[in-house]
Amino acid sequence: MLTDKAKEILAGAEAKMQDTVDFLEEDLKNYRVGKANPAIFNTVMVDYYGCPTPLPQVASVTAPDAKTIAIQPWEKSMIAKIEKAIMDANVGMTPSNNGETIRCTVPPLTEERRKELLKKAKAAGEQTKVVVRNARRDAVDLLKKAQKNDGMPEDVQKEAEEEVQKMVDKKVKDVDALVAAKEKDILTV
């Protein structure tokens, strides 16, 4: 039976691991894989009256079809600034406008770019696993300190360490699944 202190340590480790996995999931969404995905514009910053603002906050970003992204600015005066921001962000697309809407055509990925994205996704997955393992190490250290200093029973400490390891195993599986799904996405022509 876990003590309150052990449960608190486990909850902290679980939260840190889940945040890391969530970050990886969001990061992988920003990879441009040959089909229109409005999420790649989430990091594009537009000069909105002297203040750098994320593109989705100054315009509606949609994907009307698999090869096009349409950007409808809330204010027509922002069209030139949005085009400049897209060019400066180097997302691999050239914007064109008709006076009201900006359209970006998603170019097909080259084999070289696919391999590059694959490497980047795998590296991000490995980095996430390192952070998850660091969270395990921190939790185990806290459990050992609690056993030594706070008088936590040794069997409770061991049980909590087993729980931490189960969490790590689950998160590593989640990371592998996310990277595998992105890999399939990247390799789909």
Side-chain angles (χ1 to χ4, degrees):
M1 180 70 183
L2 295 176
T3 63
D4 289 342
K5 179 74 174 168
K7 288 177 183 174
E8 181 185 319
I9 292 169
L10 288 175
E14 167 79 32
K16 188 172 185 181
M17 290 177 195
Q18 189 58 50
D19 288 349
T20 306
V21 173
D22 292 345
F23 179 81
L24 174 69
E25 190 172 5
E26 282 304 308
D27 187 43
L28 291 177
K29 285 180 185 174
N30 292 329
Y31 290 22
R32 187 175 62 78
V33 292
K35 56 183 176 265
N37 179 0
I40 64 171
F41 288 106
N42 290 352
T43 56
V44 175
M45 300 305 257
V46 178
D47 176 26
Y48 187 66
Y49 298 105
C51 182
T53 309
L55 177 57
Q57 291 182 17
V58 297
S60 166
V61 183
T62 58
D65 61 59
K67 295 288 179 193
T68 310
I69 295 179
I71 301 164
Q72 179 76 47
W74 308 132
E75 303 170 31
K76 281 187 183 176
S77 63
M78 293 300 297
I79 287 180
K81 288 183 178 184
I82 291 172
E83 282 186 316
K84 181 181 181 335
I86 292 170
M87 294 301 285
D88 292 347
N90 196 16
V91 290
M93 292 183 229
T94 307
S96 62
N97 78 72
N98 62 7
E100 290 183 17
T101 306
I102 299 169
R103 294 202 174 276
C104 294
T105 304
V106 180
L109 288 177
T110 63
E111 189 62 33
E112 185 181 308
R113 180 70 178 139
R114 286 181 196 279
K115 287 178 182 172
E116 194 180 299
L117 281 172
L118 211 51
K119 263 178 151 171
K120 189 176 169 188
K122 287 180 179 177
E126 285 306 312
Q127 188 61 40
T128 301
K129 289 179 191 177
V130 167
V131 174
V132 166
R133 291 183 191 117
N134 287 345
R136 171 186 58 196
R137 184 194 62 220
D138 294 346
V140 168
D141 288 348
L142 287 172
L143 287 166
K144 285 180 180 172
K145 281 182 187 165
Q147 195 240 333
K148 185 178 177 188
N149 301 337
D150 302 339
M152 179 188 288
E154 190 174 338
D155 59 332
V156 171
Q157 178 216 344
K158 294 293 180 201
E159 183 183 344
E161 284 182 22
E162 288 171 15
E163 288 298 315
V164 170
Q165 186 57 48
K166 286 177 189 170
M167 275 188 247
V168 169
D169 295 343
K170 183 185 180 311
K171 297 304 178 201
V172 166
K173 270 188 189 153
D174 292 350
V175 168
D176 288 340
L178 286 170
V179 172
K182 187 47 111 176
E183 185 176 342
K184 184 179 175 219
D185 203 18
I186 291 168
L187 294 175
T188 303
V189 180

